[in-house]
Amino acid sequence: MTILITGARGKVGQAIINRLHSAGHSVRAASANPAELTVPAGVEVAELRLDRPDTFETALHGIGQVFLYPEPAGIDAFIKTAQAAGVAHLVLLSSSSVLSPDAESDPLAGHSLKVEQALAASGLTCTFLRPDAFASNALGWAYFIGQNLPIQLAYPDADIAPIHPDDIADIAVEALTGTALTGRAITLTGAHALTFREQLAVLSDVLDRDIPVEQITHAEAEQQMGRYMPAPMVGSLLALWRAASAGPATIADTTETLLGTPARTFTQWARENAAAFTPR
């Protein structure tokens, strides 16, 4: 049967589509704006808005498995439609934040946790992929680096183990096409822990440019970040980074432990995306 990939415009979704299609699987790419999708020849496209139940039935018709991005707004209706369509397995791109003690009240963790809880109660066979920080989060520094501006951080020594998005895609494909990961909840990281300061040092080396780092106060960071994201989300991120400054990051499952292939490094990601940090 056909595999439905939601979030098909995202980097992870695109990578999954390309891998499945190359391996000969029947794939349907779903997006809120399907006309804007670029997919390989032979891949179906469908409109799917995860907060719009009226788009679910057509997108799920004939689908055996789903790669799902978390959206709590329509999850109950999505589950009912998936059950009616005969979907056998869902692979959810969740988040490691759901493991935090205050996940239910945390605005970042709560988003994914609500979807996990609904799926767990549904009776459907589900696999939860819980990546920690994406290596691509470093693109948030791209403008400042491109303009030769210092990177200002409240917690420059927050220690994380960033995972390459292509590693997530490889693991998701295995979850969708194999059986070893079916029904599991798996926390994913990269193979190596790096502080923000160390990530910036890698970028500095790759770009062959000095990238100054300036430590600012928690309050200053709140003010800066509050210009482009809601206050609850700012508070959640800063609390996460403050906690991550207290000790070394935990290395969880990687492509090495799950697939037997070496995990891609942050340095590899930086080299692949160096153009994003150049002046424009």
Side-chain angles (χ1 to χ4, degrees):
M1 295 181 76
T2 300
I3 302 173
L4 177 71
I5 308 301
T6 72
R9 294 178 65 195
K11 293 292 186 183
V12 173
Q14 289 176 359
I16 294 170
I17 290 166
N18 290 335
R19 285 159 168 75
L20 290 173
H21 178 69
S22 295
H25 296 280
S26 175
V27 183
R28 182 177 299 159
S31 169
N33 298 294
E36 298 178 8
L37 286 175
T38 300
V39 297
V43 172
E44 299 177 37
V45 297
E47 180 184 11
L48 178 63
R49 300 173 184 261
L50 290 171
D51 60 350
R52 284 263 309 277
D54 59 295
T55 66
F56 295 170
E57 185 174 357
T58 299
L60 285 165
H61 179 71
I63 294 297
Q65 296 196 81
V66 177
F67 177 75
L68 183 64
Y69 275 72
E71 173 48 69
I75 188 59
D76 292 334
F78 189 88
I79 288 169
K80 289 179 181 178
T81 309
Q83 290 170 326
V87 171
H89 180 213
L90 291 100
V91 176
L92 176 70
L93 184 62
S94 185
S95 165
S96 65
S97 63
V98 302
L99 300 173
S100 65
D102 59 347
E104 290 199 9
S105 60
D106 183 276
L108 290 177
H111 192 85
S112 294
L113 183 61
K114 290 173 184 175
V115 176
E116 280 201 15
Q117 290 172 333
L119 289 173
S122 71
L124 290 166
T125 299
C126 300
T127 301
F128 299 152
L129 302 183
R130 296 168 171 169
D132 204 46
F134 285 35
S136 51
N137 289 351
L139 290 171
W141 299 323
Y143 171 81
F144 302 97
I145 293 173
Q147 298 299 314
N148 293 312
L149 297 171
I151 302 301
Q152 296 183 323
L153 299 168
Y155 302 103
D157 297 307
D159 202 38
I160 60 176
I163 182 169
H164 195 299
D166 279 341
D167 282 3
I168 299 173
D170 286 344
I171 293 165
V173 168
E174 174 61 27
L176 289 163
T177 60
T179 58
L181 306 184
T182 302
R184 294 175 58 184
I186 308 165
T187 302
L188 306 175
T189 66
H192 304 286
L194 292 170
T195 66
F196 288 146
R197 198 187 301 275
E198 289 168 338
Q199 290 178 49
L200 287 162
V202 169
L203 286 166
S204 178
D205 183 63
V206 167
L207 299 171
D208 194 25
R209 292 169 50 200
D210 182 52
I211 303 175
V213 179
E214 294 180 359
Q215 186 164 5
I216 59 176
T217 67
H218 187 104
E220 288 170 332
E222 280 184 324
Q223 184 177 31
Q224 288 186 9
M225 296 168 64
R227 297 171 188 158
Y228 53 90
M229 67 176 68
M233 189 174 295
V234 171
S236 179
L237 283 171
L238 288 173
L240 177 68
W241 297 336
R242 178 170 52 200
S245 301
T250 299
I251 306 301
D253 274 308
T254 68
T255 54
E256 182 70 49
T257 62
L258 296 174
L259 309 179
T261 57
R264 297 171 177 87
T265 65
F266 183 79
T267 299
Q268 179 177 344
W269 179 88
R271 288 173 178 157
E272 293 166 352
N273 293 274
F277 297 89
T278 57
R280 298 185 182 185

